[in-house]
Amino acid sequence: MEKQQTLYYDFIPTGEEKMKLDPATTALLIVDMQNQFISRDGLDAQIAREKGMFDKWEYFFDRIDNVAIPNNKKLLDFFRANRLEVTFGRIACHHKDGRDRSPVQRRPGWNNILLPIGDPGAEMVDELKPLDDEIVVNKTTDSVLSGTNYEFLLRNMGIETVVCTGVVTDQCVASTIRSLADAGFEVILVEDACAAATKQLHDAEIMIMNQIYCQVMSTEETIQFISEEIEQLAVVQG
């Protein structure tokens, strides 16, 4: 895939060193692929219909159904088949009235999110359901790292690289990737396993984050890259 980047990185010489990755220290992180946000039967879609705005969200739900969910499923299947770490971050508050939410999740509009733990809307969509032994972190912030023990869990498991997907590209995904980069993790952003409200928002955020906070790859590029590292490791180990 063609990778756009900002002016900040135009001076990078061609042939720069390829990103290093050890499959054993790599985790998949799926962000907020929850019923409320991405299901056509979810609460957000219902509200959009009630307000006569669903036509403005057609691009988002089409990308979710036709691109983001299928590619997340491919990544999930690949990571599980190769016994690599799979993790999830989701928006879910502890109190039913949401008083433990961060201010950003109380503001009027689309970001006013009240999703208590146990609410069906807080669950990942059926195609991406976590297995019993996979880590699911509940957050009341945009970033999966902020206000959770996710970074601590990654450190305990020796994770160094995080492959990040989910919604929405320009909010929770971007906040998470920036936090991961600041914490010292290598990050792969799987562009076609993410979605934003519009193509313009998605493309702009991808371009902003590329190189400085993450390496942008497609689903197929990510799977190929990790597969090659697995094969090389097998050769070295005999």
Side-chain angles (χ1 to χ4, degrees):
M1 61 173 288
E2 181 182 355
K3 301 177 181 67
Q4 294 184 323
Q5 58 190 31
T6 60
L7 181 61
Y8 304 118
Y9 283 84
D10 276 357
F11 61 81
I12 293 180
T14 57
E16 67 266 28
E17 187 176 348
K18 183 181 177 182
M19 178 182 183
K20 302 293 185 183
L21 178 146
D22 180 354
T25 61
T26 300
L28 175 65
L29 171 59
I30 297 177
V31 179
D32 296 357
M33 295 289 280
Q34 299 166 250
N35 288 321
Q36 171 148 330
F37 309 127
I38 69 171
S39 170
R40 288 180 185 266
D41 298 322
L43 183 58
D44 283 1
Q46 293 176 28
I47 292 172
R49 290 189 186 94
E50 291 168 3
K51 293 183 177 296
M53 297 174 58
F54 191 77
D55 59 326
K56 294 183 178 180
W57 285 90
E58 279 287 0
Y59 161 81
F60 175 77
F61 286 106
D62 284 347
R63 182 173 173 90
I64 288 294
D65 290 343
N66 301 323
V67 181
I69 288 179
N71 283 329
N72 272 279
K73 187 66 169 64
K74 286 181 184 177
L75 288 163
L76 258 184
D77 290 346
F78 173 77
F79 269 72
R80 287 169 175 168
N82 287 280
R83 299 181 182 276
L84 305 180
E85 196 67 41
V86 172
T87 66
F88 299 80
R90 66 172 185 171
I91 294 176
C93 55
H94 293 272
H95 288 296
K96 293 190 183 301
D97 64 2
R99 64 182 183 272
D100 55 311
R101 294 172 296 169
S102 63
V104 73
Q105 289 185 10
R106 305 184 193 195
R107 294 195 175 109
W110 191 72
N111 269 12
N112 186 12
I113 301 166
L114 178 57
L115 268 180
I117 295 171
D119 188 301
E123 300 301 321
M124 296 292 174
V125 292
D126 288 342
E127 298 92 330
L128 308 176
K129 284 285 187 186
L131 300 180
D132 289 341
D133 196 40
E134 292 172 346
I135 290 173
V136 180
V137 174
N138 298 311
K139 64 190 178 78
T140 57
T141 53
D142 276 13
S143 169
V144 175
L145 270 71
S146 300
T148 76
N149 67 338
Y150 185 67
E151 180 182 348
F152 188 71
L153 296 174
L154 293 183
R155 303 289 186 200
N156 285 349
M157 296 185 292
I159 298 298
E160 298 174 357
T161 303
V162 180
V163 176
C164 192
T165 74
V167 294
V168 288
T169 315
D170 55 315
Q171 293 187 24
C172 291
V173 173
S175 294
T176 298
I177 287 173
R178 284 170 166 80
S179 296
L180 286 166
D182 281 342
F185 295 96
E186 294 286 349
V187 185
I188 295 173
L189 169 58
V190 188
E191 181 274 336
D192 57 359
C194 299
T198 67
K199 185 178 187 300
Q200 291 78 12
L201 287 171
H202 174 81
D203 289 348
E205 193 63 58
I206 291 292
M207 183 173 66
I208 290 168
M209 290 192 292
N210 189 27
Q211 297 293 334
I212 184 168
Y213 298 110
C214 61
Q215 296 293 318
V216 175
M217 299 185 187
S218 68
T219 297
E220 294 305 324
E221 286 173 335
T222 303
I223 290 174
Q224 181 179 350
F225 178 37
I226 299 175
S227 295
E228 290 173 354
E229 297 298 320
I230 292 173
E231 290 171 5
Q232 289 178 15
L233 188 61
V235 170
V236 170
Q237 294 177 344

